[in-house]
């Protein structure tokens, strides 16, 4: 099982950078980058809520489940 994080796609569609998003949701730019690059091992619901509010999207727009063997990396 793998969960793919599509935060980079949503950010590009909304034309928002790491620094601006970090400021809007109250986490460090380094942590936004970890999420954006798919290196996060977990995400708090409060962070996911803040992302959805800032980006005007649903959790399913950011997180996507993919079957084994189809995940990147």
């Amino acid at each position: 099982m793998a969960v793919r994080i599509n935060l980079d796609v949503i950010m590009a569609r909304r034309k928002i950078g790491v620094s601006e998003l970090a400021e809007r949701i109250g986490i460090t730019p380094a942590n936004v980058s970890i999420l954006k690059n798919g290196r996060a091992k977990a995400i708090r619901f409060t962070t996911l809520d803040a992302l959805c509010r800032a980006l005007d999207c649903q959790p399913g727009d950011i997180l996507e489940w993919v079957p084994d063997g189809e995940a990147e990396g």
Side-chain angles (χ1 to χ4, degrees):
M1 172 190 87
V3 175
R4 184 179 299 151
I5 301 173
N6 296 315
L7 184 58
D8 56 337
V9 175
I10 301 299
M11 289 174 64
R13 287 181 185 158
R14 302 295 192 269
K15 297 179 182 169
I16 186 170
V18 170
S19 297
E20 183 180 347
L21 183 59
E23 187 175 317
R24 284 189 189 184
I25 66 173
I27 67 173
T28 66
N31 284 334
V32 172
S33 290
I34 288 169
L35 288 168
K36 180 180 169 241
N37 296 323
R39 295 188 319 257
K41 299 293 181 192
I43 185 170
R44 292 176 187 248
F45 281 119
T46 53
T47 302
L48 185 58
D49 176 63
L51 285 168
C52 290
R53 288 176 191 271
L55 297 170
D56 190 29
C57 66
Q58 294 293 315
D61 297 329
I62 298 172
L63 304 174
E64 174 187 10
W65 178 83
V66 292
D68 288 338
E70 291 184 26
E72 294 177 354

